[in-house]
Amino acid sequence: MTGHPVALLAERLADPAALAAQVTAAQTPELAETRSLWHPQSLADGHAGVALLFAALSHTDPGHAKSAHAHLKAAVTSVQRPAREGLYAGLPAVAFAARTAVTRPGEYASLLTKLDGQVARLALRLVEEDADRTAAGTAGARMLGYDVVAGLSGLGRLLLAAGPDHREATERVLAHLVALTRPVTAPGGETVPGWWTADPVLFSEPEGVPGGHFNVGLAHGIPGPLALLSLAHRAGVRVPGQERAIRTVAEWLLARRSPSGTGWPNVVPLDAELKAASGTAPALAEARTGWCYGTPGVARALQLASLALKEPRWNEQAVSAVAAACERDDFPDPTLCHGLAGLTTIVTLMSQEPGGSELTALLPRLTDALAAAADPAHPFLWPAAAPGEGTLVHRPGFLDGAAGAALALHHATASGAPHGELTWQAALLLN
């Protein structure tokens, strides 16, 4: 693979000490943001996330296992833990990366036993923090409580992978997410879906959405719980009300598409939800074509629900929506979270499922574009677009960086690659 962008990036990221020094000592504006975001125990921007690349490569080339282990060791031995831990930060991030690096039975068993216990305790604490509100049926779900990146959907996916030893904790997470789908009474007296929240969509927009909203992004909204509930159902891990909850969310999402019927908005504000519930379709703009928000992430969650409950109609609409999304050319960012790598990964996975074969023909265009976006002149080949700006930032990590882009390209183009105990796509709740 000499000259291949994935191989070239792997060479540049192989040494964790050299990479950390490159990032933390950076003085250029393009790397300044990376320096501020870098944390050894981050799945997004840290050794834990970079380890995912080498773990995936090691399943076909054992020589990469050494680099995966080195990055895991750098994450484990970090003396600094983040203020808030979730799937993408702290010990859960290390646990996820370690599980993807398992290539033979018993590998990392001692580490995972310790970390899985920490993940279970963290998840149960989040459940307890919201237990009184949920039991009372009071409106006001917290996005941080249930989302993928920092909440229960992400932690629940990790617990599901941990297996029978943490079945009780997994079931409590699932039961909490089932409760999230029950109707509640909004502050104005309206009956609304239970995932209504007054939280701001972004921390940078503290005023939030007037009247609150219903988040539609896979990263932070109701598709995350839908994906986890569906994956658990397929794995035989089920709690009372789980099938009803899956149906409730899937039908709600299908009824909240854009007027064109092919995409989804970032959020549905309360006033738009009330109109939709009365039969008037909300005229909401489609989100960008990304994993975090937009058609690809929502469609994959719907496909997982379809496969769990054997509802081919949902799958047909999900596949059709993603095929339409592939016709768009608004991919200024090559990364997993916002851009081309995320779409490529989702199309690859969806094409491999029953009823998804029509997407196979769309992959060469996506992979060619992703490979073409790699430029050896950039320190990590795939630069990311700075939010709201025309400048580029250079991030080596998984979610918004080069490691994620490389993983997407490798996954879409490598034939017959064996899977480990847990694949990196599970961090995105895609499988």
Side-chain angles (χ1 to χ4, degrees):
M1 289 180 64
T2 302
H4 192 284
V6 175
L8 182 56
L9 180 69
E11 291 177 10
R12 296 186 182 184
L13 303 185
D15 184 337
L19 175 60
Q22 181 182 6
V23 170
T24 57
Q27 300 298 320
T28 63
E30 294 84 2
L31 279 167
E33 180 180 348
T34 304
R35 183 178 67 241
S36 66
L37 294 170
W38 180 266
H39 189 289
Q41 293 181 350
S42 170
L43 210 58
D45 290 282
H47 292 298
V50 175
L52 296 182
L53 172 61
F54 292 102
L57 295 177
S58 70
H59 289 293
T60 51
D61 183 352
H64 289 292
K66 182 178 179 180
S67 294
H69 181 78
H71 279 282
L72 280 172
K73 183 178 180 181
V76 169
T77 56
S78 171
V79 297
Q80 179 187 8
R81 287 170 64 180
R84 182 182 177 90
E85 295 186 292
L87 178 59
Y88 277 76
L91 297 182
V94 179
F96 185 93
R99 199 167 288 281
T100 69
V102 172
T103 58
R104 61 183 185 274
E107 193 171 17
Y108 295 113
S110 177
L111 174 65
L112 287 170
T113 296
K114 295 176 182 178
L115 295 182
D116 289 343
Q118 295 273 13
V119 172
R121 285 188 284 275
L122 175 59
L124 293 175
R125 187 164 71 244
L126 288 176
V127 170
E128 288 300 321
E129 286 176 0
D130 205 30
D132 290 344
R133 184 197 66 80
T134 302
T138 305
R142 294 169 57 245
M143 284 168 54
L144 282 175
Y146 68 81
D147 78 356
V148 170
V149 174
L152 283 170
S153 292
L155 293 174
R157 182 63 186 91
L158 187 50
L159 288 173
L160 183 64
D165 288 347
H166 294 283
R167 180 72 172 258
E168 182 180 352
T170 305
E171 290 177 347
R172 288 191 62 186
V173 169
L174 295 176
H176 177 85
L177 296 179
V178 166
L180 187 72
T181 68
R182 297 174 188 142
V184 296
T185 302
E190 310 91 348
T191 299
V192 296
W195 55 93
W196 174 86
T197 181
D199 287 352
V201 180
L202 300 171
F203 289 121
S204 58
E205 299 174 359
E207 297 301 319
V209 179
H213 72 279
F214 305 84
N215 196 290
V216 192
L218 177 53
H220 304 297
I222 198 59
L226 176 63
L228 178 61
L229 290 169
S230 301
L231 288 164
H233 190 282
R234 292 182 75 187
V237 182
R238 300 169 186 176
V239 297
Q242 189 166 337
E243 181 174 330
R244 177 200 58 78
I246 292 171
R247 291 187 181 280
T248 295
V249 178
E251 294 290 358
W252 183 88
L253 285 170
L254 288 169
R256 299 300 181 270
R257 286 173 291 182
S258 62
S260 67
T262 59
W264 284 268
N266 286 334
V267 301
V268 176
L270 177 60
D271 59 349
E273 171 61 21
L274 297 177
K275 291 178 182 177
S278 66
T280 304
L284 300 171
E286 290 186 24
R288 60 190 168 203
T289 308
W291 163 75
C292 54
Y293 286 98
T295 296
V298 178
R300 176 56 174 173
L302 281 169
Q303 186 183 54
L304 292 172
S306 166
L307 295 168
L309 300 191
K310 297 179 173 57
E311 288 283 359
R313 177 177 62 88
W314 298 348
N315 189 53
E316 291 167 5
Q317 295 183 68
V319 169
S320 176
V322 165
C326 290
E327 297 176 3
R328 298 171 64 172
D329 293 313
D330 56 341
F331 304 119
D333 193 311
T335 65
L336 282 173
C337 190
H338 308 119
L340 184 57
L343 176 62
T344 302
T345 299
I346 290 169
V347 172
T348 303
L349 289 169
M350 291 184 69
S351 70
Q352 296 167 349
E353 304 285 9
S357 59
E358 70 179 77
L359 298 176
T360 303
L362 304 178
L363 276 171
R365 173 174 169 262
L366 299 176
T367 55
D368 288 349
L370 190 54
D375 183 349
H378 295 301
F380 308 121
L381 281 78
W382 285 278
E389 304 174 19
T391 57
L392 299 177
V393 293
H394 302 295
R395 299 169 69 171
F398 171 69
L399 192 58
D400 292 292
L407 280 165
L409 183 60
H410 176 72
H411 172 235
T413 57
S415 59
H419 295 295
E421 183 177 335
L422 180 68
T423 62
W424 61 267
Q425 297 94 333
L428 306 170
L429 267 286
L430 298 177
N431 66 6

Short mmCIF file of all heavy atoms in Angstrom, two decimals, residues 224-268:
data_model
loop_
_atom_site.label_atom_id
_atom_site.label_comp_id
_atom_site.label_asym_id
_atom_site.label_seq_id
_atom_site.Cartn_x
_atom_site.Cartn_y
_atom_site.Cartn_z
N GLY A 224 -30.26 8.49 17.99
CA GLY A 224 -29.29 7.73 18.78
C GLY A 224 -29.97 6.66 19.63
O GLY A 224 -29.62 5.47 19.55
N PRO A 225 -30.96 7.03 20.46
CA PRO A 225 -31.71 6.01 21.17
C PRO A 225 -32.37 4.99 20.25
O PRO A 225 -32.41 3.79 20.57
CB PRO A 225 -32.76 6.83 21.94
CG PRO A 225 -32.07 8.14 22.20
CD PRO A 225 -31.27 8.40 20.95
N LEU A 226 -32.89 5.44 19.11
CA LEU A 226 -33.50 4.49 18.16
C LEU A 226 -32.47 3.46 17.70
O LEU A 226 -32.77 2.26 17.65
CB LEU A 226 -34.06 5.24 16.95
CG LEU A 226 -34.64 4.36 15.84
CD1 LEU A 226 -35.83 3.56 16.34
CD2 LEU A 226 -35.01 5.20 14.62
N ALA A 227 -31.28 3.90 17.37
CA ALA A 227 -30.24 2.98 16.91
C ALA A 227 -29.87 1.99 18.00
O ALA A 227 -29.77 0.78 17.75
CB ALA A 227 -29.01 3.77 16.46
N LEU A 228 -29.68 2.46 19.24
CA LEU A 228 -29.30 1.56 20.32
C LEU A 228 -30.41 0.56 20.62
O LEU A 228 -30.16 -0.64 20.78
CB LEU A 228 -28.94 2.34 21.58
CG LEU A 228 -28.57 1.47 22.79
CD1 LEU A 228 -27.34 0.60 22.49
CD2 LEU A 228 -28.33 2.31 24.03
N LEU A 229 -31.64 1.03 20.72
CA LEU A 229 -32.76 0.12 20.99
C LEU A 229 -32.87 -0.94 19.90
O LEU A 229 -33.16 -2.11 20.18
CB LEU A 229 -34.06 0.92 21.09
CG LEU A 229 -34.21 1.82 22.32
CD1 LEU A 229 -35.40 2.76 22.16
CD2 LEU A 229 -34.37 0.99 23.60
N SER A 230 -32.61 -0.56 18.66
CA SER A 230 -32.71 -1.50 17.54
C SER A 230 -31.56 -2.48 17.55
O SER A 230 -31.76 -3.68 17.32
CB SER A 230 -32.74 -0.71 16.22
OG SER A 230 -33.83 0.19 16.18
N LEU A 231 -30.36 -2.01 17.80
CA LEU A 231 -29.20 -2.91 17.86
C LEU A 231 -29.35 -3.91 19.00
O LEU A 231 -29.03 -5.09 18.85
CB LEU A 231 -27.92 -2.08 18.04
CG LEU A 231 -27.47 -1.28 16.81
CD1 LEU A 231 -26.44 -0.23 17.22
CD2 LEU A 231 -26.89 -2.20 15.75
N ALA A 232 -29.82 -3.44 20.14
CA ALA A 232 -30.01 -4.34 21.27
C ALA A 232 -31.10 -5.37 20.96
O ALA A 232 -30.96 -6.56 21.30
CB ALA A 232 -30.38 -3.53 22.52
N HIS A 233 -32.16 -4.94 20.32
CA HIS A 233 -33.24 -5.86 19.96
C HIS A 233 -32.71 -6.96 19.05
O HIS A 233 -33.02 -8.15 19.24
CB HIS A 233 -34.37 -5.07 19.26
CG HIS A 233 -35.63 -5.85 19.06
ND1 HIS A 233 -35.78 -6.78 18.05
CD2 HIS A 233 -36.79 -5.85 19.76
CE1 HIS A 233 -36.99 -7.31 18.12
NE2 HIS A 233 -37.63 -6.76 19.15
N ARG A 234 -31.90 -6.58 18.06
CA ARG A 234 -31.32 -7.58 17.15
C ARG A 234 -30.38 -8.53 17.88
O ARG A 234 -30.25 -9.70 17.50
CB ARG A 234 -30.56 -6.88 16.02
CG ARG A 234 -31.44 -6.10 15.06
CD ARG A 234 -30.62 -5.48 13.95
NE ARG A 234 -30.21 -6.48 12.96
CZ ARG A 234 -29.37 -6.22 11.95
NH1 ARG A 234 -28.84 -5.02 11.82
NH2 ARG A 234 -29.06 -7.17 11.08
N ALA A 235 -29.75 -8.04 18.94
CA ALA A 235 -28.83 -8.86 19.72
C ALA A 235 -29.54 -9.70 20.77
O ALA A 235 -28.89 -10.45 21.52
CB ALA A 235 -27.78 -7.98 20.39
N GLY A 236 -30.87 -9.57 20.85
CA GLY A 236 -31.63 -10.34 21.82
C GLY A 236 -31.67 -9.75 23.20
O GLY A 236 -32.10 -10.41 24.16
N VAL A 237 -31.25 -8.50 23.36
CA VAL A 237 -31.29 -7.81 24.66
C VAL A 237 -32.50 -6.89 24.63
O VAL A 237 -32.49 -5.86 23.95
CB VAL A 237 -30.00 -7.02 24.92
CG1 VAL A 237 -30.05 -6.35 26.29
CG2 VAL A 237 -28.78 -7.92 24.80
N ARG A 238 -33.55 -7.27 25.37
CA ARG A 238 -34.83 -6.58 25.24
C ARG A 238 -35.45 -6.32 26.60
O ARG A 238 -35.28 -7.10 27.54
CB ARG A 238 -35.78 -7.42 24.38
CG ARG A 238 -35.23 -7.67 22.99
CD ARG A 238 -36.01 -8.70 22.21
NE ARG A 238 -35.33 -8.99 20.94
CZ ARG A 238 -35.74 -9.91 20.08
NH1 ARG A 238 -36.83 -10.63 20.35
NH2 ARG A 238 -35.07 -10.12 18.96
N VAL A 239 -36.17 -5.21 26.68
CA VAL A 239 -36.87 -4.83 27.91
C VAL A 239 -38.32 -4.52 27.53
O VAL A 239 -38.63 -4.29 26.36
CB VAL A 239 -36.21 -3.59 28.57
CG1 VAL A 239 -34.78 -3.90 28.99
CG2 VAL A 239 -36.24 -2.38 27.64
N PRO A 240 -39.22 -4.50 28.52
CA PRO A 240 -40.62 -4.18 28.22
C PRO A 240 -40.77 -2.84 27.53
O PRO A 240 -40.16 -1.85 27.92
CB PRO A 240 -41.28 -4.17 29.61
CG PRO A 240 -40.44 -5.10 30.43
CD PRO A 240 -39.04 -4.89 29.95
N GLY A 241 -41.59 -2.81 26.49
CA GLY A 241 -41.87 -1.57 25.77
C GLY A 241 -40.87 -1.23 24.69
O GLY A 241 -41.02 -0.22 23.99
N GLN A 242 -39.84 -2.04 24.51
CA GLN A 242 -38.78 -1.70 23.56
C GLN A 242 -39.28 -1.66 22.12
O GLN A 242 -38.96 -0.73 21.37
CB GLN A 242 -37.63 -2.70 23.69
CG GLN A 242 -36.38 -2.34 22.92
CD GLN A 242 -35.20 -3.19 23.36
OE1 GLN A 242 -35.19 -3.73 24.46
NE2 GLN A 242 -34.20 -3.32 22.52
N GLU A 243 -40.07 -2.65 21.74
CA GLU A 243 -40.57 -2.65 20.35
C GLU A 243 -41.49 -1.47 20.11
O GLU A 243 -41.40 -0.82 19.07
CB GLU A 243 -41.31 -3.96 20.08
CG GLU A 243 -41.84 -4.05 18.65
CD GLU A 243 -42.46 -5.39 18.32
OE1 GLU A 243 -42.02 -6.41 18.91
OE2 GLU A 243 -43.37 -5.43 17.48
N ARG A 244 -42.35 -1.17 21.07
CA ARG A 244 -43.23 0.00 20.91
C ARG A 244 -42.42 1.27 20.78
O ARG A 244 -42.74 2.15 19.96
CB ARG A 244 -44.17 0.10 22.12
CG ARG A 244 -45.08 1.33 22.07
CD ARG A 244 -45.63 1.68 23.44
NE ARG A 244 -44.58 1.93 24.41
CZ ARG A 244 -43.88 3.07 24.47
NH1 ARG A 244 -44.11 4.05 23.59
NH2 ARG A 244 -42.94 3.23 25.39
N ALA A 245 -41.37 1.40 21.57
CA ALA A 245 -40.53 2.60 21.52
C ALA A 245 -39.86 2.73 20.15
O ALA A 245 -39.80 3.83 19.58
CB ALA A 245 -39.47 2.54 22.61
N ILE A 246 -39.37 1.63 19.60
CA ILE A 246 -38.75 1.67 18.28
C ILE A 246 -39.77 2.14 17.24
O ILE A 246 -39.47 2.99 16.40
CB ILE A 246 -38.18 0.28 17.92
CG1 ILE A 246 -37.00 -0.06 18.82
CG2 ILE A 246 -37.77 0.23 16.45
CD1 ILE A 246 -36.51 -1.50 18.68
N ARG A 247 -40.97 1.58 17.30
CA ARG A 247 -42.00 1.97 16.34
C ARG A 247 -42.38 3.45 16.49
O ARG A 247 -42.57 4.16 15.50
CB ARG A 247 -43.24 1.10 16.50
CG ARG A 247 -43.03 -0.35 16.09
CD ARG A 247 -44.33 -1.14 16.11
NE ARG A 247 -44.07 -2.52 15.74
CZ ARG A 247 -43.93 -2.94 14.49
NH1 ARG A 247 -44.07 -2.07 13.49
NH2 ARG A 247 -43.69 -4.21 14.24
N THR A 248 -42.49 3.89 17.72
CA THR A 248 -42.86 5.29 17.97
C THR A 248 -41.86 6.24 17.33
O THR A 248 -42.24 7.20 16.63
CB THR A 248 -42.93 5.55 19.49
OG1 THR A 248 -43.98 4.77 20.05
CG2 THR A 248 -43.17 7.03 19.78
N VAL A 249 -40.58 6.01 17.57
CA VAL A 249 -39.55 6.92 17.05
C VAL A 249 -39.42 6.81 15.54
O VAL A 249 -39.32 7.82 14.83
CB VAL A 249 -38.19 6.64 17.73
CG1 VAL A 249 -37.12 7.55 17.14
CG2 VAL A 249 -38.29 6.85 19.23
N ALA A 250 -39.45 5.59 15.01
CA ALA A 250 -39.30 5.41 13.56
C ALA A 250 -40.43 6.10 12.81
O ALA A 250 -40.20 6.82 11.83
CB ALA A 250 -39.27 3.92 13.22
N GLU A 251 -41.66 5.92 13.25
CA GLU A 251 -42.79 6.55 12.57
C GLU A 251 -42.75 8.06 12.72
O GLU A 251 -43.10 8.81 11.79
CB GLU A 251 -44.11 5.98 13.10
CG GLU A 251 -44.32 4.51 12.78
CD GLU A 251 -44.59 4.25 11.30
OE1 GLU A 251 -44.63 5.21 10.51
OE2 GLU A 251 -44.74 3.07 10.93
N TRP A 252 -42.29 8.54 13.87
CA TRP A 252 -42.18 10.00 14.06
C TRP A 252 -41.15 10.57 13.09
O TRP A 252 -41.39 11.61 12.45
CB TRP A 252 -41.77 10.29 15.51
CG TRP A 252 -41.70 11.76 15.83
CD1 TRP A 252 -42.72 12.56 16.26
CD2 TRP A 252 -40.53 12.61 15.74
NE1 TRP A 252 -42.27 13.85 16.44
CE2 TRP A 252 -40.93 13.90 16.14
CE3 TRP A 252 -39.22 12.39 15.38
CZ2 TRP A 252 -40.05 14.98 16.17
CZ3 TRP A 252 -38.33 13.46 15.41
CH2 TRP A 252 -38.74 14.73 15.80
N LEU A 253 -40.00 9.91 12.96
CA LEU A 253 -38.98 10.41 12.05
C LEU A 253 -39.47 10.41 10.61
O LEU A 253 -39.24 11.37 9.87
CB LEU A 253 -37.71 9.55 12.17
CG LEU A 253 -36.86 9.77 13.42
CD1 LEU A 253 -35.79 8.69 13.53
CD2 LEU A 253 -36.21 11.16 13.41
N LEU A 254 -40.14 9.37 10.20
CA LEU A 254 -40.63 9.31 8.83
C LEU A 254 -41.67 10.40 8.56
O LEU A 254 -41.79 10.88 7.42
CB LEU A 254 -41.22 7.93 8.55
CG LEU A 254 -40.18 6.81 8.41
CD1 LEU A 254 -40.85 5.45 8.41
CD2 LEU A 254 -39.34 7.00 7.15
N ALA A 255 -42.39 10.80 9.58
CA ALA A 255 -43.40 11.85 9.42
C ALA A 255 -42.83 13.25 9.55
O ALA A 255 -43.55 14.23 9.34
CB ALA A 255 -44.52 11.65 10.45
N ARG A 256 -41.55 13.37 9.90
CA ARG A 256 -40.95 14.69 10.10
C ARG A 256 -39.89 15.01 9.05
O ARG A 256 -39.03 15.85 9.26
CB ARG A 256 -40.32 14.78 11.50
CG ARG A 256 -41.31 14.58 12.65
CD ARG A 256 -42.42 15.62 12.64
NE ARG A 256 -43.35 15.44 13.74
CZ ARG A 256 -44.46 14.69 13.70
NH1 ARG A 256 -44.75 14.03 12.57
NH2 ARG A 256 -45.27 14.60 14.73
N ARG A 257 -39.99 14.36 7.92
CA ARG A 257 -39.06 14.65 6.83
C ARG A 257 -39.35 16.03 6.22
O ARG A 257 -40.41 16.61 6.43
CB ARG A 257 -39.14 13.57 5.76
CG ARG A 257 -38.48 12.27 6.16
CD ARG A 257 -38.74 11.18 5.14
NE ARG A 257 -40.15 10.78 5.13
CZ ARG A 257 -40.64 9.82 4.36
NH1 ARG A 257 -39.84 9.19 3.52
NH2 ARG A 257 -41.92 9.50 4.42
N SER A 258 -38.40 16.51 5.44
CA SER A 258 -38.55 17.79 4.76
C SER A 258 -39.69 17.68 3.74
O SER A 258 -40.12 16.57 3.39
CB SER A 258 -37.26 18.17 4.05
OG SER A 258 -36.94 17.19 3.07
N PRO A 259 -40.18 18.81 3.24
CA PRO A 259 -41.28 18.76 2.26
C PRO A 259 -40.99 17.89 1.04
O PRO A 259 -41.90 17.31 0.46
CB PRO A 259 -41.44 20.24 1.87
CG PRO A 259 -41.00 20.99 3.07
CD PRO A 259 -39.86 20.19 3.64
N SER A 260 -39.71 17.77 0.67
CA SER A 260 -39.36 16.93 -0.47
C SER A 260 -39.49 15.45 -0.14
O SER A 260 -39.53 14.60 -1.04
CB SER A 260 -37.92 17.21 -0.91
OG SER A 260 -37.00 16.80 0.09
N GLY A 261 -39.54 15.13 1.14
CA GLY A 261 -39.70 13.75 1.56
C GLY A 261 -38.41 12.95 1.56
O GLY A 261 -38.44 11.74 1.79
N THR A 262 -37.28 13.61 1.34
CA THR A 262 -36.03 12.85 1.24
C THR A 262 -35.04 13.12 2.36
O THR A 262 -34.05 12.40 2.49
CB THR A 262 -35.32 13.18 -0.10
OG1 THR A 262 -35.06 14.59 -0.15
CG2 THR A 262 -36.18 12.77 -1.28
N GLY A 263 -35.25 14.17 3.15
CA GLY A 263 -34.26 14.50 4.16
C GLY A 263 -34.88 14.96 5.46
O GLY A 263 -36.10 15.04 5.60
N TRP A 264 -34.02 15.26 6.42
CA TRP A 264 -34.47 15.66 7.74
C TRP A 264 -33.80 16.96 8.17
O TRP A 264 -32.66 17.24 7.79
CB TRP A 264 -34.15 14.56 8.76
CG TRP A 264 -35.08 13.41 8.68
CD1 TRP A 264 -36.24 13.22 9.39
CD2 TRP A 264 -34.96 12.25 7.83
NE1 TRP A 264 -36.83 12.04 9.03
CE2 TRP A 264 -36.08 11.42 8.08
CE3 TRP A 264 -34.02 11.85 6.88
CZ2 TRP A 264 -36.28 10.21 7.43
CZ3 TRP A 264 -34.21 10.65 6.21
CH2 TRP A 264 -35.33 9.84 6.49
N PRO A 265 -34.48 17.74 9.03
CA PRO A 265 -33.88 18.97 9.57
C PRO A 265 -32.96 18.64 10.74
O PRO A 265 -32.91 17.51 11.21
CB PRO A 265 -35.11 19.76 10.02
CG PRO A 265 -36.08 18.68 10.46
CD PRO A 265 -35.86 17.54 9.49
N ASN A 266 -32.26 19.68 11.22
CA ASN A 266 -31.46 19.52 12.44
C ASN A 266 -32.35 19.26 13.64
O ASN A 266 -32.10 18.35 14.43
CB ASN A 266 -30.64 20.78 12.71
CG ASN A 266 -29.46 20.94 11.79
OD1 ASN A 266 -28.94 19.97 11.26
ND2 ASN A 266 -29.03 22.17 11.59
N VAL A 267 -33.36 20.08 13.78
CA VAL A 267 -34.30 19.99 14.90
C VAL A 267 -35.70 20.30 14.40
O VAL A 267 -35.89 20.93 13.36
CB VAL A 267 -33.94 20.96 16.05
CG1 VAL A 267 -32.54 20.70 16.59
CG2 VAL A 267 -34.09 22.41 15.61
N VAL A 268 -36.68 19.86 15.17
CA VAL A 268 -38.07 20.25 14.95
C VAL A 268 -38.47 21.13 16.13
O VAL A 268 -38.60 20.64 17.26
CB VAL A 268 -39.01 19.03 14.86
CG1 VAL A 268 -40.46 19.47 14.74
CG2 VAL A 268 -38.62 18.14 13.68
#
